[in-house]
Amino acid sequence: MDKKIRVRFAPSPTGYLHVGGARSALFNYLFSRHHNGTFILRIEDTDRSRFVENAMKEIFESMKWLGLNWDEGPEVNGDYGPYEQSKRLDLYKKYAEKLLESGNAYRCFCSPQRLAELRTEQEKNKQNIGYDRHCLTLSEDQVAEKLKKGDPHVIRFKIPHGRIVSFEDSIRGRIEYKSEVLDDLVLLKADGFPTYHMANVIDDHLMEISHVLRGDEWIASTPRHILIYEAFGWEPPEFAHLPVILAPDGKKLSKRKGAASVMDYKQNGFLPEALFNYLALLGWSPGDDREKMSLEEMVKSFSLKQVSAKASVFDEKKLEWMNGLYMAERSALSLADIVVPEWKKKQWINSERSTHDQYLLDVIELMKVRSKRTTDLVENSVYFFKDPQTYEEKAARKYFKDNAAELLKEIYTELEQLQVFDKDHLEKLYHDFAQKSEISFGKIIHPARLAVSGVSFGPGLFELLSILGKEVVLRRIKTTVSFIERNRT
RNA sequence: GGUCCGUUCGUCUAGUGGUCAGGACUCAAGAUUUUCAUUCUUGCAACAGGGGUUCGAUUCCCCUACGGACUACCA
């Protein structure tokens, strides 16, 4: 490989970062890292009507959260800037004029209305749709006169006919188009802004992009881009068109079907490294059975050859599974940054409480392995902060019957006398009690769990009791005993 | 309508001109665990259809069907 690898992710600031876009960015990132290349972020803000105020900020934030750090682009800059197309307008104008001079482009004064009429007419007659080159036949004088009058106009690219335009897609192989099926696209809009097609070609060339990895909705535009490169006398980059990500119903992903934006996933309790890993596996495979992989492994194994051409369905269940693996692996301290603020929001703990608080870390340590999402961990930990208000109904019917209250009372007395309230001593106490009273272990531990937590599942009972501490445990058992007695018929 | 892209278990995918078509998620059953989760074992489940080429096609070619993209002074 003699050429430097430079790739770019080029979103337009029209909203949040969609997971499909994130995945494209991720593949670009992996590809650049694999080849020791450069990952560039470029903002394609050439449509003033669709500009959304905070979109750029949100896109940056999403990318950083996922760990998609760019080497060149907004905020970090670089030698090929500016990296926002709206700041490169004079550049595009200059190049459009070059195309005008070389005869590869022409001015078009057709009104939007005429274009719309043309289109409906073509649709009605089942003709191929496209610009009819009405203004190509304008004489120089006519053009000069219209220019003098200040008539609004665009600059169109003149597609050479009778050609077969082909390119080698790194994922799909050779793709060919007859040039006459392409119509004369607009390069420069009447407002002086370039269209995507022109800005994209000029920037990719000027920024020395070696590989364009983008969504497959661009396949049909690629032959036009190739022709533009040709008109400039430039060599086009390599192309690879990435498949889309779909919702389970086979349609586009949207907020209604779970989530669509990267930040939604953060909100819904997913870890960035889990989303990253899952997204990498959507459409790409290392070629073997590995699934959970470190970033280094992914970088090392990444290859466009192993990228599928097929659209893939986003499976939140599998993401959840993977997130669970990463949750278990995370340190309690790192999870505390995510989870503790949520507990504060719920006012389960004091807002002054530190994320280094040992009690909180113990809770996280105990709960992280049985949580799929950080939001599960947050929710399922209530009883570490608040006495249970109710008891799981089904479990209560099962465990709070017969002589449960009496047994709880007896154990209460024993617990009261226990000097060292830790896991081992508690375990011994319960064992001894079971033996002494000749009852099964299950008879006393299940009611105990339900009494102190309100639910029938969770960490090991003795860890639970020791973390909660003697005072809390005794209080809760006492409450439970009166609950049972009150509800007796 | 035109052009282009795609099609292996429900989902993500591996794979090869000859394989019992492999793994993962989900689901089900079981083992372990004081519960839950983890872990482990087992099970269910796929080459869209039709033609070729070939001794042999899931694999190569063509057609059909289905899905999708593009066909803007949007990207």
Side-chain angles (χ1 to χ4, degrees):
Chain A
M1 199 124 319
D2 50 335
K3 215 172 152 191
K4 269 210 75 183
I5 302 295
R6 292 172 57 83
V7 295
R8 83 313 194 268
F9 174 58
S12 29
T14 53
Y16 54 78
L17 181 62
H18 188 271
V19 286
R23 206 268 313 258
S24 291
L26 193 150
F27 280 12
N28 272 283
Y29 178 82
L30 251 20
F31 184 80
S32 74
R33 291 298 173 264
H34 179 85
H35 293 285
N36 281 312
T38 308
F39 176 54
I40 296 151
L41 176 63
R42 184 174 72 218
I43 302 299
E44 312 230 317
D45 53 350
T46 54
D47 184 358
R48 290 184 297 180
S49 64
R50 293 209 308 165
F51 184 81
V52 174
E53 198 49 55
N54 287 316
M56 260 200 322
K57 226 180 84 193
E58 165 140 2
I59 289 170
F60 296 166
E61 198 188 330
S62 300
M63 289 182 65
K64 287 179 198 165
W65 179 71
L66 266 177
L68 299 170
N69 301 311
W70 53 99
D71 306 309
E72 290 177 26
E75 296 186 346
V76 303
N77 300 319
D79 297 336
Y80 298 78
Y83 295 90
E84 285 155 62
Q85 293 186 326
S86 59
K87 295 179 178 164
R88 301 167 66 84
L89 296 183
D90 35 347
L91 212 55
Y92 305 125
K93 197 167 175 234
K94 190 181 98 192
Y95 280 103
E97 269 156 18
K98 275 194 185 177
L99 253 22
L100 232 33
E101 283 163 29
S102 63
N104 286 299
Y106 58 95
R107 297 183 200 273
C108 167
F109 297 87
C110 291
S111 66
Q113 296 90 283
R114 185 184 111 77
L115 263 18
E117 282 161 25
L118 177 66
R119 196 160 30 243
T120 36
E121 187 68 13
Q122 287 168 333
E123 269 166 26
K124 207 177 78 187
N125 300 336
K126 305 219 168 189
Q127 284 171 300
N128 283 357
I129 296 162
Y131 184 60
D132 62 356
R133 298 196 146 174
H134 180 258
C135 290
L136 182 59
T137 54
L138 253 36
S139 70
E140 262 179 60
D141 292 345
Q142 286 172 300
V143 171
E145 199 192 313
K146 283 177 186 294
L147 279 177
K148 214 170 90 187
K149 275 200 298 179
D151 285 358
H153 70 282
V154 303
I155 294 178
R156 280 185 191 273
F157 187 68
K158 185 179 158 194
I159 298 274
H161 284 183
R163 291 276 311 279
I164 289 184
V165 188
S166 73
F167 63 97
E168 194 70 27
D169 186 287
S170 306
I171 293 170
R172 288 150 220 271
R174 180 164 281 309
I175 297 175
E176 287 186 348
Y177 282 82
K178 291 189 177 65
S179 68
E180 33 275 296
V181 307
L182 314 171
D183 70 340
D184 293 350
L185 63 147
V186 172
L187 296 173
L188 207 61
K189 304 181 232 178
D191 63 4
F193 277 65
T195 59
Y196 168 83
H197 303 291
M198 186 176 74
N200 169 260
V201 166
I202 291 173
D203 288 346
D204 283 345
H205 176 259
L206 260 27
M207 295 180 181
E208 294 178 34
I209 301 301
S210 62
H211 297 255
V212 170
L213 320 187
R214 65 200 341 175
D216 65 7
E217 70 270 26
W218 295 109
I219 292 179
S221 300
T222 305
R224 297 162 213 263
H225 298 168
I226 301 242
L227 257 10
I228 299 175
Y229 279 103
E230 214 179 271
F232 279 123
W234 296 337
E235 195 190 329
E238 301 282 323
F239 292 98
H241 290 95
L242 276 13
V244 291
I245 298 178
L246 304 169
D249 60 2
K251 304 270 184 256
K252 283 187 174 171
L253 264 184
S254 66
K255 274 160 283 180
R256 312 194 60 194
K257 301 160 191 157
S261 87
V262 168
M263 284 302 151
D264 285 342
Y265 286 92
K266 180 186 181 190
Q267 200 91 47
N268 293 341
F270 293 103
L271 260 16
E273 64 270 30
L275 218 212
F276 189 111
N277 194 155
Y278 176 72
L279 245 24
L281 252 24
L282 258 196
W284 171 73
S285 150
D288 50 44
D289 289 341
R290 283 176 297 161
E291 298 217 282
K292 182 168 175 293
M293 284 179 281
S294 68
L295 178 61
E296 291 69 33
E297 271 182 283
M298 290 188 260
V299 166
K300 190 158 182 266
S301 310
F302 190 78
S303 159
L304 288 178
K305 291 210 169 49
Q306 289 293 131
V307 173
S308 164
K310 180 190 143 197
S312 38
V313 172
F314 195 99
D315 183 0
E316 198 164 294
K317 275 279 188 327
K318 188 153 184 175
L319 204 213
E320 235 177 21
W321 162 75
M322 185 160 280
N323 202 61
L325 300 184
Y326 280 100
M327 290 274 294
E329 196 175 274
R330 278 264 199 140
S331 70
L333 203 53
S334 77
L335 254 13
D337 289 332
I338 301 170
V339 148
V340 171
E342 296 303 316
W343 286 333
K344 288 180 182 173
K345 256 186 233 167
K346 289 179 176 296
Q347 299 189 319
W348 290 352
I349 59 174
N350 191 289
S351 60
E352 308 294 301
R353 202 108 167 231
S354 158
T355 50
H356 286 65
D357 184 303
Q358 195 53 50
Y359 180 76
L360 301 182
L361 292 176
D362 287 345
V363 170
I364 294 170
E365 194 58 48
L366 229 40
M367 297 300 282
K368 68 176 191 180
V369 291
R370 51 205 109 222
S371 306
K372 297 258 184 234
R373 311 184 184 202
T374 58
T375 46
D376 295 344
L377 201 166
V378 169
E379 302 288 340
N380 292 334
S381 303
V382 223
Y383 53 78
F384 287 104
F385 311 112
K386 299 172 66 108
D387 288 2
Q389 300 301 301
T390 54
Y391 302 99
E392 201 182 297
E393 205 182 310
K394 202 176 151 199
R397 247 179 290 137
K398 189 169 170 191
Y399 299 127
F400 290 169
K401 62 180 183 190
D402 304 333
N403 60 341
E406 285 62 41
L407 288 174
L408 279 171
K409 268 194 228 173
E410 285 177 46
I411 291 180
Y412 183 98
T413 340
E414 305 237 354
L415 287 171
E416 217 175 7
Q417 285 159 25
L418 187 63
Q419 291 307 309
V420 188
F421 208 81
D422 69 3
K423 182 173 173 275
D424 293 339
H425 290 264
L426 283 161
E427 187 157 7
K428 183 169 187 303
L429 184 148
Y430 269 80
H431 270 293
D432 292 347
F433 184 88
Q435 212 157 37
K436 192 172 63 188
S437 20
E438 291 180 331
I439 53 169
S440 73
F441 207 42
K443 263 261 191 279
I444 49 174
I445 56 162
H446 296 305
R449 168 189 306 287
L450 193 58
V452 297
S453 73
V455 292
S456 62
F457 57 91
L461 179 65
F462 310 114
E463 288 166 303
L464 179 59
L465 296 182
S466 77
I467 283 199
L468 286 172
K470 193 173 187 172
E471 189 195 330
V472 172
V473 168
L474 292 178
R475 181 177 72 228
R476 290 184 184 181
I477 290 179
K478 196 183 263 177
T479 309
T480 303
V481 168
S482 51
F483 170 87
I484 297 174
E485 287 172 344
R486 201 167 54 241
N487 286 277
R488 251 181 202 152
T489 44

